[in-house]
Amino acid sequence: NYKSKLSALGAGNGNMDMPNFKPNDQKTKTFWHRLEYGADFQTTHTNYYFPMVTDFGASLGYKLGHQNVIGIGASYKLGWGNGIQHIAFSNQGVGLRSFLQIHIKSSFFATGGFEYNYTTPFASFQNLKLIQNWTKSGLIGVTKTVSLKNRVFKKTSVSLLWDFFSYQQVPQTQAFLFRIGYTF
């Protein structure tokens, strides 16, 4: 009686399919084909210490599996000045990034990362050597991939990230960041 129940469940049959199973297609790809290039930007509001700043970032990711990615990146902070009457472009800083994206469901990802940001305006790259001017950011949040019909912007992502180190910064930086990114 038990043997007939087991065979009915497929225990004796080697052709039983596993539901929702996808083999890791990245294992057959070479190292270079597993790389993913990206760009993102975010704009921060004007406050007392800094003018309005836009971060332009670039990233290089390595696909671990179907949709899980680990990577590094860099950013440049461009200052726009104080209001429409006082537009002035300036070097407001640079940043170094690391990130991890883990697929949750559908087009949603859990995103985490660690960043070092140089948030002091600089005139020369020699100023960037002062390690005490670099601030840490620990980011965690959610990313949604939006498929657009345009081939260039096909993998557009929108991220909402919480910087849990922002409360320790002097002056205090934004706790929540909104980023728009593109992967190629």
Side-chain angles (χ1 to χ4, degrees), residues 111-142:
T111 305
F114 186 75
E115 297 183 358
Y116 270 107
N117 293 303
Y118 186 87
T119 56
T120 305
F122 65 96
S124 167
F125 285 104
Q126 297 297 325
N127 300 55
L128 300 177
K129 293 180 182 178
L130 301 172
I131 195 72
Q132 66 268 19
N133 291 340
W134 289 78
T135 59
K136 294 185 278 189
S137 293
L139 304 172
I140 190 165
V142 178

Side-chain angles (χ1 to χ4, degrees), residues 12-161:
N13 186 359
N15 294 332
M16 184 175 155
D17 291 330
M18 295 179 68
N20 299 329
F21 175 73
K22 274 180 138 177
N24 186 357
D25 60 346
Q26 296 298 317
K27 288 188 176 183
T28 60
K29 293 185 178 181
T30 64
F31 175 79
W32 299 108
H33 287 103
R34 292 176 87 166
L35 295 179
E36 182 177 81
Y37 305 97
D40 63 70
F41 69 93
Q42 75 185 32
T43 300
T44 57
H45 67 288
T46 305
N47 62 24
Y48 180 74
Y49 296 103
F50 302 110
M52 186 169 165
V53 175
T54 300
D55 267 6
F56 296 99
S59 64
L60 177 64
Y62 180 74
K63 295 180 188 176
L64 298 172
H66 295 297
Q67 297 174 346
N68 300 331
V69 179
I70 190 169
I72 58 171
S75 66
Y76 170 72
K77 298 173 188 330
L78 175 67
W80 295 98
N82 293 322
I84 195 74
Q85 300 297 327
H86 305 290
I87 295 176
F89 298 116
S90 60
N91 301 320
Q92 293 296 314
V94 294
L96 299 173
R97 303 175 175 175
S98 63
F99 66 92
L100 174 66
Q101 278 190 334
I102 299 173
H103 183 250
I104 300 173
K105 187 172 185 168
S106 176
S107 60
F108 288 94
F109 296 85
T111 305
F114 186 75
E115 297 183 358
Y116 270 107
N117 293 303
Y118 186 87
T119 56
T120 305
F122 65 96
S124 167
F125 285 104
Q126 297 297 325
N127 300 55
L128 300 177
K129 293 180 182 178
L130 301 172
I131 195 72
Q132 66 268 19
N133 291 340
W134 289 78
T135 59
K136 294 185 278 189
S137 293
L139 304 172
I140 190 165
V142 178
T143 299
K144 165 114 173 91
T145 302
V146 181
S147 292
L148 300 176
K149 296 191 187 234
N150 189 331
R151 193 175 67 160
V152 175
F153 300 117
K154 186 176 181 182
K155 290 179 127 185
T156 301
S157 63
V158 178
S159 300
L160 180 61
L161 304 167

